[in-house]
Amino acid sequence: MADRSFSDVPLAALYDALNPWGPSDDFYLDLVMSARSVLDVGCGTGRLLGRAREAGHQGRLCGLDPAAAMLVRARRREAGVEWVLGDLGCARWQREFDLVVMTGHAFQVLVGNEELRMALASVRDALSDEGRFVFETRNPAARAWESWTPERVREVTDAHGDVVRVWHEVESPVLGDRVTFTETFDHPAWQRPRVSRSTLRFLGADALSGFLGEAGLVVREQFGDWGRGPLTPSAPEIVTVAQRQLTR
């Protein structure tokens, strides 16, 4: 089930304002433009694939997302893309994509071991023999969640010009590799703020490699930032490029 911040129509409408185009989007757009067929898992409002089509991508572009409110916006953005409502648990593609991506830290919503294994098996099945699976997760060593505090309030303007205040609060204590937090949206026209509760999983590079290996995927490259810098203990991201492990 999608978190409220994605499934609630007014909150979904704020997503692009809260997450403006940046270096991560440029990184993925370059990959998409060089692939003939692309599956974007957790495609959200469709910004990446929509931009690719606008830039002249002539191949197959498919976006998958479990939140109908997000896909409504994606379909309005670009009609020339396959927009599929669902998740990797219900998707059945066989060697159809040269590139599968999970952007916006969507990989981290795969919290349970079996959920993660199932998703990775579906990704492996969807990849062509030479296809690549590219995704990012926040480096747990950087402890990004420590800055998710109510004092750090963001303000964005909605489509009507009203200012919406947004802040996060982590539920303590943080145990293991899972972080649960709330995201609060306060709009002047609402009687009370709307709250979305989420849990993300912070896996390190070794754990990621282990899960990928179980699914028949092998890590080809890993970076610590969007400039393809090395993965160090202080790097903010773990950007992973994986492929099918072909049997001989």
Side-chain angles (χ1 to χ4, degrees):
M1 179 181 294
D3 293 336
R4 185 180 184 184
S5 59
F6 307 131
S7 59
D8 187 302
V9 172
L11 302 188
L14 298 171
Y15 181 85
D16 286 340
L18 287 167
N19 301 276
W21 189 275
S24 63
D25 302 286
D26 290 329
F27 176 91
Y28 283 109
L29 182 59
D30 286 344
L31 296 173
V32 171
M33 295 304 294
S34 65
R36 293 171 299 175
S37 53
V38 182
L39 172 63
D40 183 358
V41 178
C43 63
T45 63
R47 182 172 60 188
L48 175 63
L49 298 186
R51 183 74 69 91
R53 191 65 90 203
E54 291 173 4
H57 193 289
Q58 298 297 312
R60 182 183 182 188
L61 299 176
C62 181
L64 175 70
D65 201 281
M70 300 293 268
L71 283 187
V72 166
R73 304 191 67 81
R75 292 184 177 116
R76 289 175 181 169
R77 182 191 300 272
E78 176 56 65
V81 171
E82 298 175 47
W83 302 115
V84 180
L85 179 63
D87 57 29
L88 288 169
C90 61
R92 292 294 180 269
W93 288 292
Q94 293 294 326
R95 286 180 161 85
E96 296 182 37
F97 297 100
D98 296 323
L99 176 67
V100 176
V101 299
M102 294 184 75
T103 72
H105 303 107
F107 186 88
Q108 291 186 253
V109 306
L110 301 171
V111 174
N113 286 349
E114 290 311 309
E115 177 187 22
L116 179 54
R117 291 187 177 108
M118 175 276 299
L120 291 175
S122 294
V123 168
R124 179 204 60 218
D125 290 345
L127 283 173
S128 63
D129 286 347
E130 299 300 322
R132 292 177 295 172
F133 173 39
V134 187
F135 66 95
E136 89 281 351
T137 181
R138 297 175 182 88
N139 184 358
R143 304 179 67 85
W145 64 86
E146 292 182 348
S147 66
W148 300 350
T149 62
E151 293 77 21
R152 295 173 179 259
V153 178
R154 295 187 60 189
E155 293 186 347
V156 295
T157 303
D158 69 8
H160 304 289
D162 292 319
V163 175
V164 184
R165 302 174 72 249
V166 185
W167 64 90
H168 300 82
E169 185 168 7
V170 174
E171 295 183 5
S172 298
V174 173
L175 301 175
D177 56 20
R178 295 165 176 83
V179 176
T180 299
F181 63 97
T182 56
E183 186 174 18
T184 303
F185 301 78
D186 189 12
H187 191 288
W190 299 340
Q191 290 186 344
R192 61 181 62 87
R194 302 188 184 194
V195 180
S196 176
R197 185 173 183 267
S198 307
T199 299
L200 299 178
R201 191 170 188 181
F202 286 73
L203 291 172
D206 290 342
L208 288 171
S209 295
F211 278 110
L212 289 165
E214 285 183 24
L217 296 163
V218 59
V219 175
R220 295 302 186 195
E221 294 179 287
Q222 282 185 319
F223 310 110
D225 58 42
W226 300 112
R228 298 177 182 264
L231 177 57
T232 65
S234 61
E237 306 285 349
I238 304 176
V239 184
T240 300
V241 180
Q243 288 184 297
R244 292 178 69 113
Q245 189 165 16
L246 301 180
T247 57
R248 296 182 181 275

